[in-house]
Each structure stands twice: as C-alpha cells, then as structure tokens.
Amino acid sequence: MDSIIQILSDNLPWVWVAVTIICVVIESLTLSLTTIWFGISAFVMVFLAFTPLPFPAQLFIFVAIAMVLLIFTRPFVKQKLNQKKIATNYERVIGQIAVVTKKITALEKGSVKINGMEWTAAIKEDIELEEGSKCIVEEIAGVTAYVRHV
C-alpha cells in the first residue's frame, strides 16, 4: 500500500492528467455538464502538483474547485446552451386569423391569405368555408394549412 502511495506521489502531475482525460471523455459521452467541471479542476491540479503540497491537500483543493465550478457555473452554462427555440415562419402562422381566398370544403382544398401570404388550405370538419370568410390556422402539414371556422 505504501508503495502505491509513493508511486502516486512521485507522479502526481500525470495522475491529474489522467483524471482530466477521464473526466473529459466521460463528459463527451454523457453531455451532462457535470464531469467537465471535475476535468477543469483536475487540469488546474496538474500545475499545482508541481508544488510541495501533499496529496490529501491537493485532493481537497481538487474537490473544492470542482464543487465551486459545478454549483456556480453549471446553471449559467446550461441556460446558455438551452436557448429557447425560435419559431420558424410556418410555426408562427399557427393560431393566426386567415381570410379564405378560395372556397374550402371537406373534399376540396382551397386557399387562405395569412399575413399577406397565400397558403393552400384544407379543413377537417364537414363544413364549407366561403371566399371572404375568416378562419383560424390550427395546423400546418407540408404546404397545407389546416383551418377551422372562427
């Protein structure tokens, strides 16, 4: 046991390099933003290993740095990486009021004008929407807007 501790203490910079690599590999496989902070802490420890600090002190500093990074930076980084999805043009159309420009029936597609753009339109109900009537866009499938009567 003493020989293992002696080997570790003689090669502490390499031990910390190994811990850094292991943490980065685990993070790249999980993408959980947890082990990366331990990897950064281990990287700092590579340089501190050249000081005369004993291994227990280095281990304490390693855990302290990792915990500080984990607690204070992980939420900020996670928030930046999980930015809200920006709606594309077709997603913005859902819920909009449209004006029928060509009659729509249950069996025949027509067209509607939404925000100045013409869309092919269909209806799922067994009703007719006459030209000039208003409707609400419920869904977009391909290039067809599915609407319902207001």
Side-chain angles (χ1 to χ4, degrees):
M1 182 73 173
D2 288 336
S3 63
I4 294 173
I5 293 174
Q6 184 61 39
I7 292 171
L8 284 177
S9 62
D10 290 343
N11 297 301
L12 275 178
W14 292 109
V15 170
W16 291 118
V17 167
V19 171
T20 302
I21 292 169
I22 290 168
C23 288
V24 169
V25 167
I26 291 171
E27 182 63 38
S28 67
L29 294 173
T30 62
L31 299 174
S32 64
L33 284 179
T34 303
T35 54
I36 191 68
W37 310 118
F38 288 90
I40 293 169
S41 180
F43 182 72
V44 171
M45 295 312 300
V46 169
F47 301 102
L48 285 178
F50 290 107
T51 66
L53 283 172
F55 181 70
Q58 289 183 28
L59 189 60
F60 176 78
I61 294 169
F62 165 72
V63 172
I65 292 172
M67 287 298 133
V68 167
L69 289 172
L70 183 67
I71 292 168
F72 292 108
T73 59
R74 183 176 185 259
F76 176 75
V77 172
K78 197 161 186 146
Q79 177 188 11
K80 287 294 180 187
L81 291 177
N82 292 334
Q83 292 292 326
K84 292 195 180 198
K85 185 176 129 184
I86 298 172
T88 59
N89 287 338
Y90 88 90
E91 291 169 328
R92 291 180 184 160
V93 169
I94 296 173
Q96 296 278 328
I97 302 287
V99 177
V100 178
T101 56
K102 182 181 172 192
K103 182 179 174 180
I104 308 168
T105 67
L107 301 175
E108 190 176 323
K109 290 183 178 181
S111 61
V112 294
K113 193 172 233 176
I114 310 163
N115 297 331
M117 291 181 57
E118 195 83 21
W119 285 75
T120 301
I123 194 161
K124 293 181 178 180
E125 303 163 347
D126 192 19
I127 61 169
E128 292 182 1
L129 292 176
E130 296 295 328
E131 189 174 325
S133 63
K134 294 191 182 215
C135 56
I136 296 178
V137 179
E138 289 188 312
E139 171 185 350
I140 301 290
V143 295
T144 303
Y146 284 88
V147 297
R148 69 175 165 81
H149 185 65
V150 175

